[in-house]
Every structure is written in structure tokens, then in C-alpha cells.
Amino acid sequence: MRIEMPSPSGEELKAARLKAGLSQVDAAALMGYPVQTGSRGGLQSRTWQALESTGDPRNMPGPIFAMFQLLTGTHAEYTLAKKDASSAVNAICTPTAE
């Protein structure tokens, strides 16, 4: 199975963040990007700001963007689902026909 995971433009990333109802700081924290105190005392993420900027050459890598969409429930095709622990144990303990 092959899943396309293109890097988003700054506008696409911002639209996805807004669709998820997150601030830049919340989105950055969710994805493990650094968050720091800004010059006015509030929190900010310069990394996330750069990723959303149309003038910055950096883009979020496609697989990380796909994970962001999965974590926020905004992916167009896929959703995350927690594995049932009992089925995982059964899968390990149940022999398969070969």
C-alpha cells in the first residue's frame, strides 16, 4: 500500500490548523515543535510561524503533515483508531496458516 503524503504549502498548513481549531502554539505543542515566550510575554512558536509563512522556504514534511491531520481528525481519507488490546494479544498467540 502506498499513501501519498505531499508537503503542504504555508497556506495549506494554516488552513489545516484553522480547520482543527488550533492556535499556532497549540498546533506546535501537539507536533512537538518548540514553543517559547515571545517579546510581549505570550507563547509563540517561531518554527510553526515559519512553516505557515509564504515567504519562508521551509515546508512541513509530508509524513508529519499527515500525522497532524490524523491527530486532529482532519485527514480526508484516514482516521486513527486505538487498537483493541485483546485482539493484539490474540493475533500474537494465534497461529496463522502457512
Side-chain angles (χ1 to χ4, degrees):
M1 174 169 82
R2 179 159 167 73
I3 300 172
E4 293 296 319
M5 292 183 270
S7 291
S9 68
E11 293 97 1
E12 291 169 328
L13 180 59
K14 182 176 181 178
R17 175 180 61 78
L18 294 174
K19 182 178 181 181
L22 299 175
S23 68
Q24 286 183 339
V25 170
D26 292 336
L30 174 68
M31 298 308 296
Y33 288 109
V35 173
Q36 60 275 350
T37 303
S39 61
R40 295 185 183 145
L43 294 177
Q44 66 181 16
S45 174
R46 293 236 184 249
T47 303
W48 197 275
Q49 289 171 353
L51 292 172
E52 284 190 7
S53 172
T54 56
D56 195 295
R58 293 177 280 183
N59 287 336
M60 179 180 278
I64 295 174
F65 182 56
M67 179 56 72
F68 174 76
Q69 291 176 308
L70 290 169
L71 289 171
T72 58
T74 60
H75 197 282
E77 296 180 50
Y78 299 100
T79 60
L80 286 179
K82 189 173 182 178
K83 284 186 178 181
D84 177 15
S86 63
S87 65
V89 170
N90 290 337
I92 294 170
C93 298
T94 306
T96 57
E98 293 187 36

